[in-house]
Amino acid sequence: MQSLTVFEENDYAANSNANARTWSSLVEEMKVVRKSSLLLFESFTDEMLETSGNGNQKPTTVNAIGFVLLGHLYHHKK
């Protein structure tokens, strides 16, 4: 079983060039990425969503990753 690698957000942020972008461009990108993510997960079959593997050395499913991915916005809104 293959494992997803850990995502280091601080390394990503340091190299993102986000400080050089406008707020509106960041908001627009967030909206587009969120919509594309929703469309991607809506295209999966039940069997695909139940596929399991490891993420950060912990067992997970495609369905669970979708909930984390799409729910992450609410984490930051708090």
Side-chain angles (χ1 to χ4, degrees):
M1 188 177 303
Q2 194 171 23
S3 181
L4 296 173
T5 58
V6 176
F7 176 77
E8 179 48 61
E9 69 269 11
N10 293 324
D11 290 342
Y12 175 83
N15 293 285
S16 71
N17 200 33
N19 289 333
R21 295 181 57 192
T22 64
W23 177 254
S24 62
S25 77
L26 292 168
V27 169
E28 182 64 21
E29 180 182 338
M30 189 267 317
K31 288 178 181 178
V32 170
V33 169
R34 184 167 175 81
K35 179 65 175 178
S36 67
S37 297
L38 283 166
L39 292 170
L40 173 66
F41 278 84
E42 287 174 355
S43 76
F44 293 159
T45 65
D46 289 344
E47 182 180 12
M48 294 164 81
L49 291 170
E50 293 169 7
T51 303
S52 62
N54 288 313
N56 197 16
Q57 306 301 317
K58 295 181 175 74
T60 191
T61 63
V62 172
N63 196 43
I65 291 171
F67 276 98
V68 170
L69 176 71
L70 297 173
H72 195 209
L73 171 66
Y74 298 103
H75 161 75
H76 285 285
K77 285 178 81 172
K78 288 184 179 184

